[in-house]
Amino acid sequence: MTSALLKIDNLDVNFQQGDKLTSAARNVSLEINRGETVALIGESGSGKSVTALSILQLLPYPIAKHSDKSSIQFNGRELVGAPEKILRTIRGNQISMIFQEPMTSLNPLHTVEKQISEVLVLHEGLNKQQAKNRTIELLELVQIPNPAERLDSYPHQLSGGQRQRVMIAMALANKPDLLIADEPTTAVDVTIQAQLLELLQSLQNKFDMAILLITHDLRVVQKMASQVYVMRQGDIVESGMVTKTFADPQHDYTKMLINSKPSGHPKPVDESASEVIRANNLRVWFPIKRGLFRRTVGHIKAVDDVSFSVRSGETLGLVGESGSGKSSLGMACLRLIDSNGEILVSGQRVDQLTQRTIKPFRKDVQIVFQDPFSSLSPRMTIGQIIAEGLTLHGIANNSIELNQIIEIALEEVGLSAEMRHRYPHEFSGGQRQRISIARAIVLKPKFIVLDEPTSALDLSIQAQIIDLLRNLQKKYDISYLFISHDLNVVRAMSHRVMIMKDGKVIEEGSVNDIFDSPKQDYTKMLLAASTELTTR
């Protein structure tokens, strides 16, 4: 019987801020053997990432503290309290880490070549040419097309899937024994997710690499892992083989996680419902400029001749891979980016309105973004964030009325009125998304674009947000354009679905028609990729 590659025993993590002591992890113990994939699951704030960062000793010490009994042994060497010189030989060499959002993990000012080659130069001492050649090999390894042509690309010039592949290439540059993957596929669409999981499995087999997989997507756990540890509020509440744990969970919290799937359907749309928004032959083309004089030599057709309409109280689901034009279509409908074609809100043309005359229209159409933390100002209280639109449109007559409207909006999204005095960083991801929804509905809009509003949330929180959105729709007869790569969420939220590919709508129909009887091969491929994640 071989000893474990990584062995964590009685790990305690406490954060000391002044007189306040916060316990983030308590008595955490787990083992990972060479070549094995172990999953660590739980909701936001359960202690998953704190445990992972403890392995590499990357917590903000001395604010973060371990108890004397805490032990993390890697290849028999103790990491808790190890000298920085020893840790530098392990980080990136023997243990690597990939993160959830590559756009915030990659340096926006450096090319792909510079970021990957830096790892090779620092850890392996390669010269510039050797590092370049090895970088191309790594990009080939993670299946990026035309890798030599991508060396001079910056992160913003790559798709979400390509950026995550670059992160994987950096992590695998020195052939680590252990890869810590912290939500590696949450931010990508279903087909890219399937490709990345297949890639990780093939690389794991190639290098006999162990993987610690941190995720809230239980489908990914079923696909990838052999062992699972369930964390709740800093404690490991259940562990065991994935097949046994998922088939017969013992702890109530594990049962709740497994059963927290989007379900149900929205209220049927009244046949007499009026049309809220219509787009006719909508186009969003971005010019490609080259040469000394930056002449336009072509266009990226993000949205290419798309027409659709949404009735009062209806949800139109919008599905497609990264780069298909989903977000561009939503932004164009709100006049947040330039477009050609007709856009009508309640029968009124708004695509020709000027910045001065468009102000009243802004009240009727709102947006909720994917990442609430980046869309809420960290310098404003929740009350100030929600009040901004009310003040701009002159809705409240005085401060008393303004506060009353804010309090009602917070209570409608399941938050307490006194929370208006707090700042975004004081809330969980699910609470921040509720704040974003409150900011949108406080103006009583007719139409809201929901751009991946649940993809960054835990499954249990996803279900809560979906129920909230459906209840608000029922109460106020709001229309939604619901953009998502999670087909389970789309099915639970939508009345009709549009499938986009390369800027065009290739299929449209009712939820049942699209999910039960898809006609286009591309739609069938999307559905198959989603189904594959739930099967081993």
Side-chain angles (χ1 to χ4, degrees):
M1 185 173 179
T2 56
S3 60
L5 174 69
L6 177 75
K7 186 174 182 180
I8 301 177
D9 276 327
N10 300 312
L11 177 69
D12 290 332
V13 181
N14 297 304
F15 289 87
Q16 182 81 49
Q17 291 183 300
D19 296 331
K20 185 180 179 182
L21 186 68
T22 303
S23 178
R26 290 177 297 275
N27 297 317
V28 173
S29 297
L30 64 84
E31 292 186 6
I32 305 176
N33 296 314
R34 188 175 295 277
E36 182 183 32
T37 299
V38 171
L40 187 58
I41 66 172
E43 295 176 292
S44 297
S46 61
K48 306 186 304 294
S49 294
V50 165
T51 300
L53 292 171
S54 295
I55 296 170
L56 288 168
Q57 295 290 282
L58 290 176
L59 291 173
Y61 303 105
I63 295 173
K65 300 178 184 295
H66 298 302
S67 66
D68 293 338
K69 65 179 181 179
S70 299
S71 173
I72 302 174
Q73 292 194 4
F74 179 74
N75 268 334
R77 173 179 283 169
E78 181 61 55
L79 299 183
V80 175
E84 190 65 25
K85 183 178 180 181
I86 298 297
L87 293 173
R88 280 199 297 267
T89 65
I90 293 174
R91 294 171 183 153
N93 256 342
Q94 300 172 52
I95 305 176
S96 288
M97 191 166 184
I98 54 176
F99 299 92
Q100 175 177 356
E101 181 45 71
M103 197 60 179
T104 56
S105 303
L106 296 171
N107 191 320
L109 302 178
H110 291 169
T111 63
V112 167
E113 179 185 2
K114 182 174 178 60
Q115 299 194 57
I116 299 177
S117 62
E118 183 179 37
V119 178
L120 299 166
V121 171
L122 286 175
H123 289 279
E124 295 190 17
L126 303 186
N127 61 37
K128 187 175 181 180
Q129 187 58 49
Q130 289 172 329
K132 181 177 181 177
N133 294 339
R134 176 65 177 145
T135 298
I136 293 173
E137 291 176 8
L138 287 165
L139 293 178
E140 286 176 347
L141 190 67
V142 297
Q143 300 169 14
I144 286 187
N146 306 314
E149 297 177 11
R150 286 297 186 185
L151 293 178
D152 294 329
S153 297
Y154 290 88
H156 73 273
Q157 296 173 308
L158 305 175
S159 69
Q162 288 173 330
R163 286 194 290 265
Q164 197 62 289
R165 288 171 190 268
V166 170
M167 284 290 297
I168 293 172
M170 291 174 64
L172 299 181
N174 298 307
K175 301 177 183 177
D177 297 316
L178 172 64
L179 176 66
I180 302 172
D182 191 355
E183 299 281 8
T185 61
T186 300
V188 296
D189 56 69
V190 65
T191 52
I192 302 301
Q193 187 179 50
Q195 293 170 18
L196 289 174
L197 294 177
E198 185 179 334
L199 172 64
L200 282 173
Q201 285 180 317
S202 65
L203 294 173
Q204 180 179 32
N205 294 332
K206 183 180 179 69
F207 297 125
D208 194 25
M209 178 176 63
I211 297 177
L212 175 59
L213 178 66
I214 299 170
T215 183
H216 66 250
D217 193 332
L218 303 190
R219 298 172 303 170
V220 174
V221 175
Q222 289 178 292
K223 182 74 176 174
M224 291 284 291
S226 57
Q227 295 276 339
V228 62
Y229 291 81
V230 183
M231 285 196 78
R232 180 176 185 267
Q233 296 178 357
D235 296 307
I236 301 286
V237 296
E238 187 167 355
S239 62
M241 298 290 292
V242 168
T243 50
K244 184 178 185 303
T245 302
F246 278 59
D248 185 24
Q250 300 300 304
H251 198 279
D252 288 342
Y253 180 71
T254 311
K255 294 175 184 177
M256 184 275 291
L257 289 178
I258 292 172
N259 293 323
S260 294
K261 298 175 182 177
S263 60
H265 302 283
K267 173 191 172 187
V269 180
D270 193 320
E271 291 184 4
S272 63
S274 60
E275 189 176 84
V276 171
I277 188 164
R278 170 175 286 278
N280 295 321
N281 308 113
L282 195 63
R283 296 191 310 173
V284 178
W285 289 14
F286 297 108
I288 301 171
K289 296 184 178 183
R290 294 198 179 119
L292 180 63
F293 297 103
R294 308 300 293 164
R295 291 192 175 93
T296 300
V297 297
H299 290 86
I300 297 172
K301 299 179 181 181
V303 179
D304 193 15
D305 199 28
V306 170
S307 299
F308 70 92
S309 66
V310 186
R311 293 185 295 164
S312 180
E314 183 180 33
T315 299
L316 176 61
L318 189 56
V319 177
E321 295 177 289
S322 297
S324 61
K326 306 187 300 297
S327 293
S328 294
L329 179 61
M331 301 285 270
C333 290
L334 303 183
R335 292 291 312 277
L336 295 177
I337 57 174
D338 292 333
S339 63
N340 292 315
E342 292 183 339
I343 304 171
L344 296 94
V345 175
S346 298
Q348 179 189 355
R349 284 279 300 266
V350 297
D351 55 281
Q352 297 177 333
L353 296 178
T354 65
Q355 288 300 316
R356 183 176 60 84
T357 58
I358 204 172
K359 182 180 174 181
F361 153 78
R362 297 286 187 208
K363 175 180 175 293
D364 292 333
V365 294
Q366 291 293 306
I367 187 168
V368 175
F369 295 97
Q370 176 176 356
D371 182 4
F373 194 62
S374 61
S375 63
L376 300 175
S377 173
R379 294 182 176 87
M380 297 171 69
T381 65
I382 301 311
Q384 290 170 333
I385 288 170
I386 297 174
E388 197 171 25
L390 296 169
T391 304
L392 181 65
H393 292 283
I395 292 175
N397 295 317
N398 52 59
S399 60
I400 295 174
E401 185 179 351
L402 182 68
N403 284 330
Q404 288 175 340
I405 296 173
I406 292 169
E407 289 175 5
I408 291 170
L410 286 171
E411 288 168 356
E412 281 188 319
V413 298
L415 300 174
S416 60
E418 59 266 20
M419 288 181 175
R420 70 185 188 277
H421 302 297
R422 292 161 60 182
Y423 290 84
H425 73 272
E426 299 178 71
F427 294 89
S428 68
Q431 288 174 321
R432 285 196 288 264
Q433 198 59 292
R434 288 175 184 270
I435 293 163
S436 296
I437 294 169
R439 176 175 61 181
I441 61 124
V442 74
L443 296 173
K444 302 296 184 287
K446 300 174 181 177
F447 175 70
I448 300 179
V449 174
L450 301 165
D451 193 358
E452 300 277 10
T454 62
S455 67
L457 305 177
D458 304 315
L459 283 176
S460 57
I461 306 301
Q462 278 187 14
Q464 294 171 20
I465 295 298
I466 290 167
D467 286 339
L468 170 64
L469 289 169
R470 286 194 302 221
N471 289 335
L472 290 170
Q473 182 177 56
K474 183 179 179 180
K475 183 176 182 179
Y476 293 115
D477 226 19
I478 307 172
S479 302
Y480 294 140
L481 178 64
F482 189 83
I483 301 170
S484 180
H485 65 252
D486 190 326
L487 300 187
N488 292 324
V489 174
V490 171
R491 187 163 200 165
M493 273 294 299
S494 306
H495 298 93
R496 292 186 296 119
V497 179
M498 284 198 317
I499 309 295
M500 283 193 76
K501 184 178 188 294
D502 299 330
K504 292 184 176 293
V505 173
I506 63 166
E507 188 164 2
E508 181 180 1
S510 70
V511 165
N512 291 336
D513 287 343
I514 294 295
F515 280 85
D516 298 335
S517 305
K519 294 180 174 58
Q520 296 294 322
D521 289 341
Y522 179 72
T523 308
K524 294 175 183 177
M525 182 269 290
L526 288 177
L527 292 170
S530 179
T531 302
E532 184 185 349
L533 284 175
T534 62
T535 60
R536 289 185 66 82

